[in-house]
Amino acid sequence: MHRENSTDLRVLRTRKAIEQALITLLGKLPLEKITVQDICQEALVNKGTFYRHYHDKYEVASSLAKRELGRLRDQVIGAVQCLAQHQPSTAADFPGPSPTESLIPLRTFEVDGATVEEHVRQIVADSLDILSQAGMLKEDLDTEAWAFTTLTFEYFHYCSEVRRPVPVEDYVRAICEASIVYQKTFESPKDTRSSTN
């Protein structure tokens, strides 16, 4: 019996424990190698409890991904709409941990015919379109969306690799500085003949 929309606190706690267990395990193993037994041991539930909530590990991943993608869409679009209307937004407007942290281990998992990363890229593209319509962005939106999505995923990956929180401002500053060097290093040399004529 699946009770995804249940408001029963016991159901919600159990589902959260199972989903968190999957996230923890995904930090160590690919989804294909994780078993229902592994999830049950990590979540401290028995198999009967697991199967009352989910058919299999893929349903856990799908449920988690869909919910977190929805939260991410709400947060990103909400923040961008505030920005486009020149209204401040704060972290208090978007409570809870960043959905991206839960989505990183599911980056390549397919939901509704696209990977989680492709869904995130679409959310970013939609938000950039809002800024473009507000006259705040004039770049190639597909490239912007790809770059933003990559940097977002890599930020959380970097923080977990170095095992310490890195302020977003420092991360963005480092990327801006590196991008200037990257551009100067790889831009094509100017044709000196055409400039002298």
Side-chain angles (χ1 to χ4, degrees):
M1 176 169 118
H2 299 279
R3 300 177 283 183
E4 188 157 350
N5 296 321
S6 174
T7 56
D8 183 323
L9 288 178
R10 290 170 301 172
V11 171
L12 296 174
R13 274 196 295 268
T14 301
R15 292 181 70 86
K16 184 174 182 180
I18 291 170
E19 289 177 356
Q20 187 56 52
L22 180 62
I23 291 170
T24 301
L25 291 166
L26 284 168
K28 306 169 192 169
L29 295 167
L31 183 59
E32 300 73 41
K33 294 198 174 185
I34 295 171
T35 66
V36 168
Q37 183 61 40
D38 294 334
I39 296 170
C40 291
Q41 285 179 341
E42 186 69 33
L44 302 176
V45 299
N46 61 44
K47 279 189 174 183
T49 300
F50 177 93
Y51 287 116
R52 276 196 297 278
H53 295 275
Y54 299 100
H55 290 296
D56 55 27
K57 63 184 177 181
Y58 299 105
E59 187 181 4
V60 180
S62 179
S63 174
L64 174 63
K66 285 179 182 180
R67 189 188 65 248
E68 294 303 286
L69 284 167
R71 283 185 61 227
L72 183 67
R73 175 170 284 282
D74 290 346
Q75 285 189 10
V76 171
I77 298 295
V80 165
Q81 286 174 335
C82 287
L83 184 62
Q85 296 164 5
H86 305 290
Q87 297 173 353
S89 67
T90 66
D93 296 328
F94 312 105
S98 168
T100 316
E101 293 179 59
S102 299
L103 293 171
I104 287 172
L106 295 169
R107 188 175 187 167
T108 60
F109 182 73
E110 283 204 18
V111 180
D112 298 331
T115 66
V116 164
E117 185 169 6
E118 289 167 337
H119 283 288
V120 171
R121 193 172 302 132
Q122 186 58 55
I123 291 168
V124 172
D126 292 346
S127 66
L128 293 175
D129 189 49
I130 292 169
L131 293 180
S132 179
Q133 289 178 26
M136 299 174 71
L137 191 66
K138 296 183 172 40
E139 299 298 324
D140 169 13
L141 297 185
D142 288 337
T143 302
E144 294 279 339
W146 183 88
F148 190 89
T149 302
T150 301
L151 294 175
T152 301
F153 274 110
E154 290 306 316
Y155 169 69
F156 292 103
H157 177 72
Y158 173 70
C159 289
S160 69
E161 283 286 310
V162 298
R163 299 192 190 289
R164 66 181 171 86
V166 178
V168 175
E169 297 82 13
D170 293 350
Y171 179 76
V172 172
R173 189 178 309 109
I175 288 167
C176 290
E177 290 172 0
S179 68
I180 292 167
V181 174
Y182 183 87
Q183 184 176 357
K184 288 184 189 249
T185 303
F186 291 99
E187 64 189 4
S188 56
K190 304 235 186 291
D191 186 352
T192 52
R193 288 174 295 164
S194 61
S195 61
T196 55
N197 290 338

